[in-house]
Each structure stands twice: as structure tokens, then as C-alpha cells.
């Protein structure tokens, strides 16, 4: 992509926006980086303490902003001036920026190209890409695919919506590189040329309806991961998910389809579950089916994580051309510890266990989180509503949850939809939620953060929310 001397507007100074601005500036573009926050707000946020020495997304020290200036990037902070949009030749959108800004619509009407950060990165990345999308399981699957590919001896870089912007990985790519990328619906709706050689869809359930408006729009955004595939590429699909099979039936896929299935019938699937064992059949149909691993050998909690393992195995087989190197893949699965904020064990305090599933940002993900435990749960729900129906949680809440602690902007809606199912109390902060949970808990109980909501009402993102939860648990542990 030739960007030299082009006037490029980068909207949003979270991680992906910073990386995009740096990439563009390094290739000679005239870059303006714009954020609704002022510089004081960005710097003040960066001064807040972070768990484990990490800096949550969207938080920038002054040195980082100064580095952008030194690279020749003009910073426009504290709003979205119309003039920025009027003079842009190209606009790169961060996923957190509202897509319905009137200035964006006017720019689009003038013929200005508006793309996502992965689309920008894809025009510079070398090698091939494995893209992972879906409503749930993306981060775990993306991370595990990277681990399996490394175990198979491939040159791999991992990024995207998982936390490392693809634009920051361009210099690490070469002709033999496999880039494994988590791709969100916000990012996919603004791709124009990005070719994903192995496209993975974990599942499709209603999510981000506050942004996309309808489930149909959301599905169409997810489907764009297949848009530039050819018959030489692969689509890895969940045969047991009606959202995925319905999408494929209605919108089609041009690439070669590989299915995984955790339930019968398994005869159409290349990776399937039988008698609590994961099996794989050769992609070319030649040879016998091969046992990969037993459920009890997988170190992650929950059947959804068994599905994530099957998904990652299927995607890796596509890159390897078959079921070779299974022993190396099995070793990688057995040593995989999962990802932060996804049913992450935090502590055991006087017989009460604490788990952080801040990544449960929608109702279906919270269902999977609740299913991973047998019962005796005190669950923290709430955050920014995404147009969800929380009433579908009622059966699992009734059978496995002792108390609900409500936190955040969606508390009233959740309370109304789950009224009478289980006792509910409210908390005004994560610290209060943790302490109220301990007051309600007895030895043998589990306090689970599984919000079913976005985090942006009280936190920068789900990572920030999860780290605050863990910090509050650690404070409590230190007092005991």
C-alpha cells in the first residue's frame, strides 16, 4: 500500500490507533491521530496503578504521546473536529470509536476510504493469515492456535483484537509467517481487501446489538471474514452452532469448508467428539480417523473450552495439510494454561474460590461460564448493556447460583429480567462487589465475575475490569 504524502486520519488512540499511526508515519503518510479524550485525561489515566505492572488498553503515558509527535504525527485531542474529516484522504477507525459519527458519514459520501486497523495492517503484512471470529471463544482459540502452530514448527505471530494490534507486527512478518488474528465484528465491517487464508468462526449468538442494530447486521459483519477468500483457502466452522450453519447456508462460503462438532452427528466433521475423546479425520479423506486427546486431559474448565481446543486443532490441520504432528499438538494442549480474564482462577480465601471471567461480555459467554461450575456460585453481573436478553440466564442461575451481585449501568435491566430467580444485591464498585460476595459466601462457594455485559460504563475495557477484580481479591487475601 502506498501512503506516502497521503493525509490519513486515525480515529481513536487506544492500542490499535497508536499502532496504526506509527505504521503510517513510518511509511511517509501525513498522519493526524484523533481521540475524544484530552491529553490530560489520557495521561491521568496512565498514572493510575495497574495490576501486575501492566498498562490497560487506552492508557498512555505522556512519553507515548510524545513519541507519536516525534514520529511526525499530529495529535488532535478532546473531540472530533469536522475539519479533520474534510481534509482526509484515508480514515483508519479504532473499534471503540462510534461508527455513526455524522462526520464519518459525510466523509464516506465524499468518497473517502474508511477502513479498520486490521485492514490497514493486512496491506503491509507478509505471509498468510489465520483469522478467528465469533461471538465467544475468540481469544482462547486465537491464543491456542498460535501455540499449536509453534508446536508444529511454524513461524507465527499472534495479534488483532486479542490485545496486540496487527499494525505493530508488520515488521516481524516475512513470506513464511503465519499471522494468527482475532477479528471482531467492529473490525470486520470495515475491511475492503483483507484475505484470510484460514477463516475460523467459533459460534454466532446475539451480541453488540447496541452497535449493529440487528442480528442480521451482526451476522453480515462476521461473514465478511470470508469475503476475499478463494477456493484455495479454508473456512473452519462449528457444525453444532445454528448461527454458524445458518450464516453459511444463507450467505455462502467460497473456500474449502472444514467442520468441527462436539455433538452428533459427527460424520460431516473433520474434528469431532466421541465417547469423551477428540478425533480427527484426514482432510483429504484418505486414511483412518485418529484420536487426538481425551476431554479429561484438557486443562481448561468447561465444555466450551473443549470446543475451543477442537476449533484450534481444525485450524492448525488446515495449515499443516492434515493430521500430522499430533503428538506435538497434544503436548501443547496439555500445557496450555488459558488466557487472562477467561475463567481465570484468582485465589482461594478460607475455602472460597474466586474466578475472573471478565471476558464474559455477552449473555452466551456467561452461560458457558456458569456451565463450567457445578453450583454454589455467587456471580457478579452487570456493566454496559449491549441490547441483551438476560432472562435466558434464569435456568442456570436458578440451578447453580446462590446470590447475584449487580454492578454497573445494566443493573436495573438485569434485576427486572431475573426478578425472583435468586436473591440479588447491588454494589457501587468492584471493591464493594467483592466484599459483599465474601459476606454472602461460605467455605466451598465460588465468587465468579461473569458480567454478561460490556465494561465501558465503569472501566476502560474488560481487561481493566478483570484486573480491578483481581486486585480487590488480592487486597482481601492480604487482610485475611
Amino acid at each position: 500500500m502506498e501512503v506516502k504524502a497521503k493525509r490519513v486520519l486515525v480515529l481513536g488512540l487506544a492500542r490499535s490507533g497508536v499502532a496504526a499511526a506509527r505504521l503510517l508515519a513510518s511509511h511517509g503518510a501525513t498522519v493526524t491521530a484523533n481521540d475524544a479524550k484530552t491529553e490530560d485525561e489520557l495521561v491521568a489515566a496512565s498514572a493510575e496503578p495497574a495490576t501486575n505492572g501492566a498498562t490497560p488498553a487506552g492508557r498512555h503515558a505522556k512519553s507515548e504521546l510524545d513519541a507519536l509527535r516525534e514520529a511526525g504525527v499530529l495529535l488532535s485531542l478532546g473531540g472530533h473536529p469536522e475539519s479533520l474529516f474534510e481534509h482526509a484522504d484515508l480514515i483508519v477507525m479504532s473499534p471503540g470509536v462510534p461508527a455513526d459519527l455524522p462526520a464519518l458519514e459525510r466523509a464516506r459520501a465524499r468518497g473517502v476510504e474508511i477502513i479498520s486497523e486490521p485492514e490497514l495492517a493486512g496491506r503491509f503484512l507478509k505471509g498468510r493469515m489465520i483469522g478467528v471470529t465469533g461471538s465467544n471463544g475468540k481469544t482462547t482459540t486465537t491464543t491456542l492456535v498460535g501455540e499449536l502452530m509453534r508446536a508444529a514448527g511454524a513461524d507465527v505471530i499472534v495479534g488483532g483484537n486479542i490485545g496486540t494490534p496487527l499494525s505493530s507486527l508488520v515488521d516481524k512478518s516475512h513470506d513464511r509467517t503465519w499471522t494468527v488474528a482475532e477479528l471482531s465484528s467492529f473490525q470486520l465491517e470495515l475491511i475492503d481487501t483483507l484475505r484470510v487464508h484460514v477463516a475460523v468462526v467459533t459460534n454466532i449468538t446475539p451480541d453488540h446489538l447496541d452497535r449493529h442494530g440487528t442480528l442480521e447486521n451482526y451476522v453480515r459483519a462476521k461473514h465478511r471474514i470470508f469475503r476475499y477468500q478463494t477456493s484455495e483457502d479454508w473456512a473452519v466452522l462449528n457444525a453444532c452452532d445454528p448461527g454458524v450453519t445458518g450464516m453459511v447456508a444463507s450467505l455462502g462460503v467460497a473456500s474449502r469448508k472444514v467442520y468441527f462438532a462436539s455433538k452428533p452427528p459427527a460424520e460431516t466433521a473433520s474434528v469431532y467428539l466421541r465417547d469423551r475423546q477428540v478425533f480427527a479425520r484426514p482432510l483429504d479423506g484418505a486414511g483412518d480417523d485418529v484420536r487426538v486427546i481425551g476431554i479429561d486431559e484438557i486443562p481448561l474448565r468447561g465444555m466450551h473450552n473443549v470446543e475451543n481446543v477442537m476449533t484450534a486443532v481444525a485450524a492448525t490441520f488446515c495449515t499443516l495439510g492434515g493430521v500430522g504432528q499430533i503428538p506435538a499438538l497434544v503436548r501443547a494442549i496439555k500445557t496450555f494454561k488459558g488466557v487472562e480474564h477467561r475463567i481465570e482462577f484468582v485465589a482461594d480465601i478460607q475455602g472460597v474460590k474466586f474466578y475472573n471471567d471478565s471476558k464474559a461480555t455477552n449473555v452466551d459467554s456467561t452461560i458457558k461460564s456458569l456451565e463450567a461450575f457445578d453450583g454454589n456460585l455467587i456471580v457478579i453481573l452487570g456493566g454496559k448493556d449491549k441490547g441483551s436478553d438476560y432472562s435466558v440466564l434464569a435456568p442456570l442461575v436458578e440451578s447453580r447460583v446462590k446470590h447475584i451481585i449487580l454492578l454497573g449501568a445494566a443493573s436495573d435491566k438485569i434485576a427486572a429480567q431475573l426478578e425472583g430467580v435468586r436473591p440479588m444485591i447491588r454494589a457501587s464498585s468492584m471493591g464493594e462487589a467483592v466484599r459483599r460476595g465474601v459476606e454472602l459466601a461460605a467455605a466451598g462457594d465460588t465468587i465468579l465475575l461473569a458480567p454478561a455485559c460490556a465494561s465501558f460504563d465503569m472501566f476502560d475495557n474488560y481487561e481493566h475490569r478483570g484486573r480491578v477484580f483481581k486486585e480487590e481479591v488480592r487486597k482481601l487475601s492480604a487482610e485475611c
Side-chain angles (χ1 to χ4, degrees):
M1 182 183 185
E2 181 56 61
V3 296
K4 190 173 183 179
K6 277 193 174 183
R7 296 169 297 181
V8 185
L9 173 61
V10 176
L11 284 179
L13 268 176
R15 280 176 292 206
S16 63
V18 170
R22 286 175 173 164
L23 176 64
L24 288 159
S26 71
H27 283 79
T30 301
V31 184
T32 300
N34 172 238
D35 198 283
K37 291 182 180 179
T38 66
E39 181 163 352
D40 286 344
E41 288 171 332
L42 292 171
V43 173
S46 72
E48 297 178 17
T51 305
N52 296 333
T55 301
R59 299 178 170 204
H60 307 291
K62 189 174 187 303
S63 60
E64 193 169 20
L65 298 177
D66 288 342
L68 288 177
R69 291 189 179 97
E70 290 173 9
V73 176
L74 175 66
L75 300 185
S76 174
L77 306 175
H80 299 298
E82 180 78 24
S83 59
L84 296 181
F85 298 81
E86 291 175 350
H87 301 296
D89 301 314
L90 172 70
I91 297 175
V92 181
M93 286 267 292
S94 294
V97 177
D100 57 354
L101 290 174
L104 276 175
E105 293 303 318
R106 288 190 284 272
R108 188 176 285 109
R110 292 194 300 272
V112 177
E113 186 178 22
I114 301 173
I115 63 175
S116 63
E117 183 268 334
E119 168 68 23
L120 172 71
R123 299 181 185 186
F124 292 93
L125 282 166
K126 299 180 179 68
R128 291 171 289 178
M129 179 177 288
I130 302 171
V132 181
T133 195
S135 301
N136 300 298
K138 296 186 297 296
T139 301
T140 299
T141 300
T142 301
T143 306
L144 184 53
V145 169
E147 293 297 313
L148 297 187
M149 292 287 289
R150 290 188 186 100
D155 291 312
V156 180
I157 51 179
V158 180
N161 198 54
I162 197 170
T164 302
L166 295 181
S167 293
S168 69
L169 299 176
V170 167
D171 290 342
K172 297 180 180 179
S173 68
H174 51 77
D175 290 343
R176 299 184 310 280
T177 299
W178 279 97
T179 298
V180 186
E182 178 182 324
L183 299 170
S184 72
S185 59
F186 295 178
Q187 295 169 326
L188 288 169
E189 67 183 350
L190 290 175
I191 65 168
D192 286 326
T193 63
L194 185 67
R195 180 182 176 187
V196 179
H197 298 83
V198 180
V200 180
V201 183
T202 58
N203 45 60
I204 298 287
T205 58
D207 196 11
H208 298 301
L209 301 188
D210 55 332
R211 168 81 168 241
H212 295 291
T214 67
L215 179 59
E216 181 182 19
N217 289 341
Y218 173 63
V219 170
R220 287 188 176 278
K222 291 291 189 186
H223 185 265
R224 289 175 68 87
I225 195 170
F226 307 115
R227 184 168 184 177
Y228 298 102
Q229 287 195 307
T230 72
S231 59
E232 298 179 356
D233 299 322
W234 298 92
V236 177
L237 305 164
N238 188 341
C240 300
D241 188 86
V244 174
T245 56
M247 175 182 68
V248 172
S250 61
L251 300 176
V253 172
S255 52
R256 294 172 285 182
K257 294 186 282 292
V258 173
Y259 286 96
F260 61 94
S262 59
K263 302 173 185 176
E267 58 269 12
T268 60
S270 295
V271 179
Y272 61 93
L273 194 63
R274 187 181 70 208
D275 299 328
R276 297 181 61 82
Q277 309 290 318
V278 176
F279 288 87
R281 56 173 48 101
L283 299 182
D284 60 5
D288 297 329
D289 293 3
V290 179
R291 178 190 180 276
V292 179
I293 194 170
I295 286 180
D296 296 335
E297 299 173 81
I298 296 173
L300 306 179
R301 294 185 72 107
M303 181 54 66
H304 66 288
N305 274 319
V306 174
E307 292 183 345
N308 292 336
V309 168
M310 297 171 70
T311 312
V313 168
T316 304
F317 284 169
C318 292
T319 69
L320 299 175
V323 296
Q325 303 193 46
I326 283 181
L329 304 188
V330 171
R331 287 194 294 272
I333 294 168
K334 288 182 176 180
T335 57
F336 184 63
K337 303 300 183 184
V339 297
E340 190 181 16
H341 312 300
R342 198 68 181 99
I343 314 187
E344 176 192 10
F345 176 72
V346 180
D348 184 325
I349 303 177
Q350 297 180 349
V352 177
K353 292 182 171 61
F354 294 79
Y355 280 86
N356 164 33
D357 198 6
S358 184
K359 191 69 169 65
T361 59
N362 58 51
V363 168
D364 189 66
S365 189
T366 296
I367 288 173
K368 290 178 170 58
S369 187
L370 296 176
E371 288 176 341
F373 297 86
D374 294 330
N376 295 325
L377 290 172
I378 296 166
V379 62
I380 301 172
L381 296 176
K384 183 179 182 295
D385 180 48
K386 298 158 78 174
S388 302
D389 176 9
Y390 304 99
S391 66
V392 298
L393 293 171
L396 274 171
V397 168
E398 185 174 21
S399 63
R400 305 192 186 197
V401 175
K402 295 171 67 174
H403 296 276
I404 297 171
I405 300 173
L406 296 173
L407 178 69
S411 293
D412 288 345
K413 181 176 178 180
I414 297 172
Q417 293 188 352
L418 294 179
E419 184 178 5
V421 179
R422 278 289 179 253
M424 287 182 275
I425 61 172
R426 297 176 186 246
S428 60
S429 68
M430 186 63 78
E432 183 185 357
V434 169
R435 292 179 181 275
R436 295 297 298 275
V438 171
E439 292 170 2
L440 295 168
D445 290 347
T446 295
I447 297 175
L448 171 66
L449 173 66
C453 295
S455 56
F456 304 119
D457 56 336
M458 299 175 67
F459 306 96
D460 290 341
N461 46 50
Y462 76 84
E463 296 157 301
H464 181 205
R465 175 172 62 190
R467 287 173 180 150
V468 171
F469 173 76
K470 292 194 290 184
E471 185 62 31
E472 294 297 336
V473 173
R474 291 184 179 115
K475 288 179 185 176
L476 188 67
S477 180
E479 296 171 4
C480 295

